Amino acid sequence: MNVDQPHSSAKQGAELAGDGTESVGAGTESAAHATEPAGPGAESAASVSGDTGSGPGKPAVSVVVIVYNDAARLPTAVRSVLDQTLHDVEVIVVDDRSTDGSYEVARGLAAAHPDRVRACRLPENSGGCGAPRNRGITEARGTYVLFLDSDDVLERNACRNMLEAAEATGADLVSGLCVRVHVDARTRKEVKWYPWLYGRTRTLESISELPDLLVFDTLSTNKCYRRRFLLDEGLRFPVGIHYEDLLFSAQAYATARRITLIPNRVYDWRVADKAAAKSISNRRDEIANFTHRMEIHRRVDQLLAEKGLLELKFAKDVKFLKHDLVLHLRELPFRDAAFREEFAAIARRYLESIDRTAFDEAEPVQAICAYLLQVSDWDNLLPAVDTLTNRDKISSPLVERDGRVYWCAEHLDDPFGRHVLDVTDLGHHIKPVDRMFLRNALTSYESTGATVRLAGRVTNPLGVIPPGARLAGELEFYARRPGVRFQTFRFPVKHVWHAGGTVAWEGAANLMAVRPLGIVDAVWDVRLHLDVDGVRTSTRLTAAEPGLVTGQVPVRPRLTRLVADRMEPVVSSRGHLSFRLVPDKKANVVVRRGVHGRAGTLAKTGYRKARSLRKELSSGETKIRLYHEVFSRLPVRTGLVVFESHLGRQYSDSPRAIYEEMRRQGLEFEPVWAYSGSPDGFPDDAILVRRWSLPYLRALAQAEFWVDNQSYPLKLTKRPGTTYIQTWHGSALKRMGFDEAEWKLKSREAQAEQQKTLDRFDRFLIRSEHDVRTLARAFRLQERTLLRVGYPRNDALVRARQRETAGDGRERGPLAAELGIPEDRQILLYAPTFRRRGNGQKRFELPFDVERFADTFGDRYVLLVRSHYLNHVVLPPSVRGRVVDVTARHDMTPLLALADGLITDYSSVMFDYALLDRPMFFFAYDYDAYVHEDRGTYFDLLERAPGPVVRTEDELHTVLGSLEEQSVKYAPRREQFLADFGEYDKGTAARSVVDQFFGHWRRG
């Protein structure tokens, strides 16, 4: 596509109309050809109704192909038009005064296809895409017009599909799916261009119905335009300015009376990542490039204002902050002070026109960068750009004020700045140092012989590295390509010390000790491992100042020094220090000839096959095959029990209770616990295996018992000699299994496959007849599968209630002290159900103001927040000591036993907490949406809840006024609720399960 290739050169020319242009190609009559159908039910071009061509001199579609110095690729672009399944198409090649013979190629194509191809050229090079496309509109004779760049191609059915959509809907503009094809990548990677816009066919009466179309798909080339629409509205590309597509597309969107989107692939944007010349849009080191982009944005804003499309202006502002500005900000660390100041002056004028509420829709660091740019705070902006480029890097020391965390201490007297710079919700203040990706700014670099001496400063956010910490460092050099990273080389850092708000370090490395192979591992990256009191965090070395790293140092590649005998420091696109082998020119030619010759080809083929085999062996399909064809043929091992809780995420719940009861009884067995992520918190006296690892699969294949509360991998068949005890993880308020509409809509084959995984259960634990009517029925379980013993995890809750009833009182135990809860505070536990978030985000936004809660009740209650294990929450420092996040704790039962009252919504925790006969509060702020628009429920919570159901934060505060009052008021309902939903929880579930299935393993 033109914007990614040097088609539009840096030359600037005036708009030229047709007076001085040259043209060849007949104005001959275009015959109506029979065409191949594009698919079932497709019509031929000749039968498509409407004002299409097929008459003398009037084809159905004109495709305008623009070219500048691209003679080699032009024939392929034109051929993609001539090979369309719709034959009633003409090609108009417009040459922007090429100097490489492109026009001669175009004339040859016109001579070879006189009835279908015409060629013309401009008298002077225009320096952009606008003038040649405008000339193409003038020359076009078709009812519809498409634009194609000489380095791209049309999909074979593009013209047919867009023409038929335009004729069927009467649209002025039809847009289809564009695909970026990386032509010089070995795998020819393909990336769809904003595919969510093209999931289905739809027709818009106004662009206001789909603002994302104007905001994101600003291409002109994946579209078909009614030519009469272009002429009547006077739509032309701007000339003499880059990014012309943005304005032309906005004008077309805003003016079209009807727009149709089709899900078909229509345009292949062929991207050459290794092209020698940068495209116009990638020349972000040129200030004129940014000037052009800002001017185009200003014109689009003016257009939207004139059309009264102010809601589109807001969506566009958001995209500018999240995308357009980000592209240029990433270049600032590599530019000098003069460039930065000029850039800021241009950007500031435009940023002042942006709706400030748009900052809230951008990512925090994007908004921070825009604000700091606006106020020209370079000291804080350049580190922020480092975070913009390297996601999750903490590049600022941060500051805490009034219980909130801010990016920097400056600008907090500006209300808007204070708002934008507030990064509390990022949760940096709760991360340990080993989970932080810290900025490590290189402060000096020098080389003497083969030795490089480096120094830097590591950001110390909120003093996470305390002044008294024991510090040590190590530099590591490693090949960038993982496939050839056979060895890493480490050098101790001699000096590491606290230096105010940073940790400073100085070290040296003798690069003669680094032994690259050569050729295949030409680039080597560097990182610093920082040891803080025995805890390690790793950083990359950011070369923040232009010209800081220079010179070359000698090295000894293993393929001899003929390959290369020097390394030079370079700065990566992410701003990090790297080293690159500098090959000897003459020797390198010989070596590369060998690499690309027969021997080299064989070697590379063997290497790729080995990598492919390794990848295949570690794939899910191979593991499943190993499980069934190898491990499942091994004998079942008596006494082997595999435990798993919540897909390996926790050591918790009923599997834990059963395991600990087996240990308490002193049984002789071989326990295996599955974990995902970290094994921290899992028992030391069991074999730990990572979920989906080969040891995990082997253990499952040979186990005598499976014990879990959710599901082992669905595609693993349980052997006849294995007994699967499914403890499940809660009674159901929400509809489950085949009671869900989503399950009911699945095909018969999909439902049967799902049923196969459920039929693996040999025993399914039941805590009430409600479970029989809901879970058992929803999973279509047989009566013989049901085990009416209650939940082992709830035995501790039943015993706690029994002790209180017997008058023994309550003992908080060590957990309260561990959490720092004062003796004079009552404890509330907030435990909501799982909340699904868009874009794969797991962070759970609390539905109430936690700071207000702490200020209101902090002298009476401590609130424990336990989000669902698939979510996580971030609490501000201002609530420290009054609100505590306990989500990371594996087992919830001790938290339930500790709490004086429970706040929940629709979580099954309500059924467990009912065993304690303590106050419950239901904060159902989204009740109607959850019940009626989500999965639905088995009963009406409003009628049967054993505590007040509130919808607003104010109502919640009111009912929390007195736990004692609520306890008395709802006592009868709690008693009835327990009778309905907890009848089999008697405090003996774990012992009952162990006695029935494992009792014969007792010693003696």
Side-chain angles (χ1 to χ4, degrees):
M1 179 166 287
N2 54 288
V3 294
D4 268 3
Q5 297 299 333
H7 165 88
S8 300
S9 73
K11 303 173 188 174
Q12 297 297 314
E15 181 176 3
L16 299 170
D19 291 342
T21 57
E22 303 175 43
S23 63
V24 295
T28 56
E29 191 170 304
S30 174
H33 298 277
T35 61
E36 303 171 39
E43 300 177 81
S44 70
S47 66
V48 176
S49 62
D51 61 347
T52 55
S54 302
K58 189 178 182 183
V61 176
S62 296
V63 179
V64 177
V65 182
I66 62 172
V67 62
Y68 174 72
N69 285 355
D70 199 17
R73 290 179 292 192
L74 177 60
T76 302
V78 172
R79 174 51 56 191
S80 76
V81 183
L82 298 177
D83 288 345
Q84 289 287 298
T85 54
L86 177 70
H87 288 184
D88 196 8
V89 179
E90 71 166 353
V91 182
I92 303 166
V93 181
V94 183
D95 176 63
D96 198 11
R97 209 68 188 187
S98 296
T99 60
D100 73 337
S102 293
Y103 182 55
E104 287 68 27
V105 172
R107 292 181 65 182
L109 292 167
H113 306 278
D115 57 338
R116 301 190 66 189
V117 178
R118 288 183 287 144
C120 61
R121 69 173 173 179
L122 304 185
E124 295 180 26
N125 173 248
S126 70
C129 305
R133 285 181 183 155
N134 291 339
R135 183 62 185 167
I137 294 173
T138 302
E139 292 286 339
R141 298 176 301 188
T143 304
Y144 296 91
V145 176
L146 278 74
F147 300 107
L148 173 64
D149 295 338
S150 60
D151 49 348
D152 299 332
V153 296
L154 290 180
E155 192 277 334
R156 191 163 180 263
N157 297 296
C159 291
R160 173 189 294 279
N161 288 330
M162 289 196 282
L163 172 65
E164 291 181 351
E167 291 296 279
T169 63
D172 289 330
L173 186 161
V174 175
S175 189
L177 180 65
C178 171
V179 177
R180 286 172 59 101
V181 182
H182 294 258
V183 293
D184 53 3
R186 188 167 57 86
T187 58
R188 286 182 66 90
K189 180 179 71 172
E190 295 188 353
V191 180
K192 294 178 180 178
W193 186 254
Y194 300 114
W196 80 84
L197 296 171
Y198 298 98
R200 59 184 175 85
T201 299
R202 53 181 161 177
T203 298
L204 312 174
E205 299 299 326
S206 166
I207 188 61
S208 297
E209 297 176 28
L210 187 61
D212 278 358
L213 185 60
L214 178 140
V215 170
F216 292 100
D217 188 0
T218 56
L219 303 178
S220 65
T221 48
N222 60 331
K223 297 171 178 62
C224 172
Y225 309 86
R226 193 180 297 272
R227 183 168 176 268
R228 177 50 54 192
F229 159 67
L230 297 179
L231 298 176
D232 289 348
E233 299 296 337
L235 293 184
R236 293 294 186 274
F237 289 88
V239 177
I241 187 169
H242 300 320
Y243 304 104
E244 55 277 291
D245 269 21
L246 273 69
L247 181 57
F248 181 82
S249 295
Q251 292 171 328
Y253 285 142
T255 311
R257 287 157 296 190
R258 187 170 293 162
I259 301 167
T260 294
L261 308 182
I262 60 174
N264 309 82
R265 178 174 183 164
V266 298
Y267 196 93
D268 281 8
W269 176 352
R270 294 157 70 92
V271 181
D273 297 302
K274 301 174 184 176
K278 283 186 178 181
S279 69
I280 288 173
S281 61
N282 284 329
R283 295 175 197 164
R284 290 186 280 273
D285 55 338
E286 301 173 5
I287 199 69
N289 187 290
F290 186 60
T291 304
H292 285 203
R293 186 186 285 269
M294 293 300 93
E295 173 59 21
I296 287 292
H297 273 284
R298 188 192 63 76
R299 294 187 193 182
V300 173
D301 291 345
Q302 183 179 354
L303 168 72
L304 297 178
E306 291 171 355
K307 297 287 185 180
L309 300 172
L310 297 182
E311 71 281 5
L312 295 184
K313 167 67 165 63
F314 177 79
K316 181 179 162 297
D317 285 348
V318 172
K319 196 237 183 178
F320 175 80
L321 293 175
K322 297 178 72 170
H323 176 72
D324 299 69
L325 183 60
V326 167
L327 292 176
H328 291 270
L329 282 171
R330 287 174 175 161
E331 294 293 316
L332 289 186
F334 307 102
R335 306 294 158 234
D336 59 24
F339 181 98
R340 293 171 185 172
E341 291 298 337
E342 188 174 359
F343 177 88
I346 297 169
R348 192 179 301 117
R349 289 193 295 271
Y350 187 75
L351 285 168
E352 288 170 355
S353 72
I354 286 183
D355 189 329
R356 284 190 164 185
T357 57
F359 281 71
D360 292 334
E361 300 298 320
E363 293 292 325
V365 70
Q366 295 166 347
I368 287 168
C369 286
Y371 175 79
L372 294 174
L373 177 66
Q374 202 166 0
V375 297
S376 293
D377 182 351
W378 297 104
D379 290 340
N380 287 305
L381 172 58
L382 291 177
V385 171
D386 195 5
T387 296
L388 193 68
T389 305
N390 299 279
R391 187 178 180 88
D392 298 327
K393 181 185 281 191
I394 306 175
S395 58
S396 167
L398 309 179
V399 62
E400 184 180 330
R401 294 283 188 274
D402 304 320
R404 305 292 294 178
V405 177
Y406 298 93
W407 185 259
C408 57
E410 293 75 19
H411 317 296
L412 300 185
D413 54 345
D414 172 11
F416 182 61
R418 192 179 186 92
H419 173 71
V420 171
L421 296 170
D422 189 332
V423 292
T424 307
D425 290 345
L426 295 181
H428 294 320
H429 58 284
I430 63 175
K431 292 179 180 177
V433 68
D434 58 321
R435 290 181 55 206
M436 288 183 166
F437 179 20
L438 300 176
R439 173 178 166 89
N440 184 355
L442 199 63
T443 55
S444 72
Y445 175 95
E446 62 179 57
S447 61
T448 305
T451 300
V452 293
R453 291 178 178 83
L454 309 167
R457 289 178 178 262
V458 180
T459 301
N460 187 13
L462 300 173
V464 69
I465 304 173
R470 300 187 317 276
L471 302 176
E474 183 180 61
L475 287 168
E476 181 181 67
F477 290 70
Y478 56 96
R480 177 172 294 176
R481 287 181 63 183
V484 295
R485 195 178 299 162
F486 304 118
Q487 187 177 2
T488 60
F489 301 88
R490 297 189 174 112
F491 304 89
V493 173
K494 290 186 177 180
H495 305 291
V496 187
W497 71 97
H498 266 275
T502 63
V503 172
W505 61 274
E506 293 178 353
N510 185 343
L511 296 193
M512 290 296 280
V514 176
R515 300 298 309 278
L517 284 173
I519 303 296
V520 295
D521 55 353
V523 180
W524 286 69
D525 292 321
V526 191
R527 59 187 165 202
L528 173 75
H529 297 300
L530 182 64
D531 189 284
V532 182
D533 285 333
V535 177
R536 170 175 281 196
T537 186
S538 296
T539 68
R540 294 294 305 275
L541 277 55
T542 297
E545 292 299 324
L548 178 63
V549 294
T550 58
Q552 297 181 351
V553 291
V555 290
R556 294 183 301 162
R558 297 182 189 275
L559 295 178
T560 82
R561 291 184 182 180
L562 289 175
V563 173
D565 60 0
R566 292 159 294 155
M567 267 188 172
E568 63 179 359
V570 292
V571 180
S572 73
S573 60
R574 293 183 176 273
H576 297 140
L577 175 66
S578 301
F579 287 85
R580 181 172 57 203
L581 285 171
V582 181
D584 177 89
K585 291 184 179 179
K586 293 182 180 179
N588 195 57
V589 170
V590 176
V591 173
R592 288 194 174 275
R593 189 180 300 146
V595 167
H596 295 291
R598 179 174 175 79
T601 300
L602 289 173
K604 287 187 289 186
T605 300
Y607 173 70
R608 286 170 183 161
K609 285 182 178 178
R611 284 187 63 185
S612 177
L613 179 61
R614 182 178 178 182
K615 184 177 180 180
E616 183 182 345
L617 289 175
S618 62
S619 70
E621 288 185 8
T622 300
K623 287 181 176 180
I624 292 170
R625 194 162 62 247
L626 276 171
Y627 172 85
H628 288 104
E629 298 178 7
V630 179
F631 296 149
S632 291
R633 294 181 180 179
L634 299 174
V636 171
R637 282 158 52 181
T638 302
L640 176 58
V641 186
V642 179
F643 297 89
E644 186 172 290
S645 178
H646 293 304
L647 306 177
R649 292 182 176 90
Q650 298 176 355
Y651 171 56
S652 66
D653 212 75
S654 292
R656 173 176 180 169
I658 293 171
Y659 171 74
E660 293 181 348
E661 177 63 20
M662 294 172 73
R663 284 298 192 197
R664 189 189 66 78
Q665 293 190 22
L667 304 187
E668 293 181 337
F669 67 109
E670 184 181 356
V672 172
W673 266 95
Y675 70 91
S676 63
S678 170
D680 293 345
F682 285 81
D684 296 330
D685 56 355
I687 300 169
L688 305 183
V689 294
R690 184 183 296 276
R691 203 170 193 267
W692 272 113
S693 67
L694 295 183
Y696 170 80
L697 296 175
R698 177 168 180 163
L700 284 177
Q702 292 193 270
E704 187 176 358
F705 287 92
W706 292 358
V707 181
D708 92 312
N709 65 353
Q710 198 156 333
S711 178
Y712 287 107
L714 302 181
K715 294 185 178 181
L716 302 185
T717 303
K718 183 182 67 69
R719 298 173 67 178
T722 301
T723 299
Y724 189 167
I725 301 175
Q726 173 56 256
T727 69
W728 203 240
H729 51 272
S731 296
L733 167 64
K734 300 160 286 190
R735 293 192 176 275
M736 304 289 291
F738 289 104
D739 288 342
E740 293 182 61
E742 181 183 345
W743 283 40
K744 292 178 180 178
L745 293 175
K746 289 182 178 180
S747 66
R748 185 174 300 175
E749 292 76 13
Q751 290 192 29
E753 190 65 26
Q754 188 68 47
Q755 189 62 53
K756 274 177 59 178
T757 67
L758 297 170
D759 289 343
R760 295 182 303 174
F761 304 159
D762 294 295
R763 290 291 186 271
F764 187 89
L765 270 56
I766 295 294
R767 62 189 305 250
S768 71
E769 287 303 307
H770 169 75
D771 290 354
V772 177
R773 295 188 297 271
T774 55
L775 291 171
R777 186 187 67 183
F779 295 154
R780 299 175 181 172
L781 302 178
Q782 300 294 322
E783 173 63 30
R784 58 180 170 77
T785 304
L786 309 183
L787 198 62
R788 292 172 170 83
V789 295
Y791 283 171
R793 72 181 186 194
N794 288 338
D795 290 350
L797 302 180
V798 174
R799 290 194 294 268
R801 167 76 184 284
Q802 290 170 345
R803 286 194 298 270
E804 292 176 34
T805 304
D808 294 339
R810 286 185 57 196
E811 291 184 8
R812 284 190 169 182
L815 180 56
E818 185 183 337
L819 295 173
I821 300 174
E823 289 291 337
D824 62 343
R825 302 288 198 277
Q826 290 184 293
I827 302 168
L828 294 175
L829 174 64
Y830 177 52
T833 192
F834 171 64
R835 284 297 194 283
R836 190 178 301 280
R837 289 289 177 266
N839 300 323
Q841 295 180 359
K842 294 183 177 181
R843 209 184 92 208
F844 172 62
E845 299 285 352
L846 288 172
F848 56 87
D849 186 336
V850 69
E851 292 175 293
R852 177 190 171 197
F853 184 98
D855 292 341
T856 303
F857 297 110
D859 59 343
R860 300 163 59 187
Y861 303 135
V862 170
L863 179 68
L864 307 181
V865 177
R866 176 56 147 76
S867 64
H868 191 277
Y869 69 90
L870 291 175
N871 295 133
H872 74 270
V873 69
V874 173
L875 299 176
S878 59
V879 302
R880 217 181 264 127
R882 298 176 292 173
V883 183
V884 182
D885 180 15
V886 293
T887 303
R889 292 184 171 268
H890 282 213
D891 204 350
M892 194 171 187
T893 301
L895 299 173
L896 294 173
L898 181 64
D900 297 291
L902 173 72
I903 305 171
T904 188
D905 44 17
Y906 323 104
S907 171
S908 64
V909 72
M910 70 176 77
F911 301 105
D912 305 314
Y913 196 75
L915 295 166
L916 293 166
D917 192 31
R918 298 176 193 166
M920 280 190 271
F921 307 88
F922 297 85
F923 187 27
Y925 56 93
D926 56 352
Y927 183 81
D928 292 331
Y930 193 89
V931 171
H932 301 301
E933 298 174 19
D934 200 353
R935 285 156 55 174
T937 59
Y938 285 116
F939 61 85
D940 189 342
L941 182 65
L942 301 178
E943 293 181 1
R944 302 180 70 174
V949 181
V950 297
R951 304 289 190 96
T952 68
E953 187 173 344
D954 289 339
E955 291 175 344
L956 178 63
H957 280 219
T958 299
V959 298
L960 290 176
S962 170
L963 294 185
E964 291 72 18
E965 178 184 338
Q966 297 297 332
S967 179
V968 173
K969 180 177 180 181
Y970 283 91
R973 294 188 70 166
R974 288 199 305 275
E975 182 179 359
Q976 184 61 51
F977 192 81
L978 179 59
D980 291 341
F981 302 109
E983 61 195 284
Y984 299 129
D985 274 324
K986 303 300 182 184
T988 58
R991 188 171 73 241
S992 177
V993 171
V994 172
D995 288 346
Q996 288 188 55
F997 296 98
F998 311 112
H1000 59 288
W1001 293 341
R1002 291 189 180 92
R1003 293 189 179 94

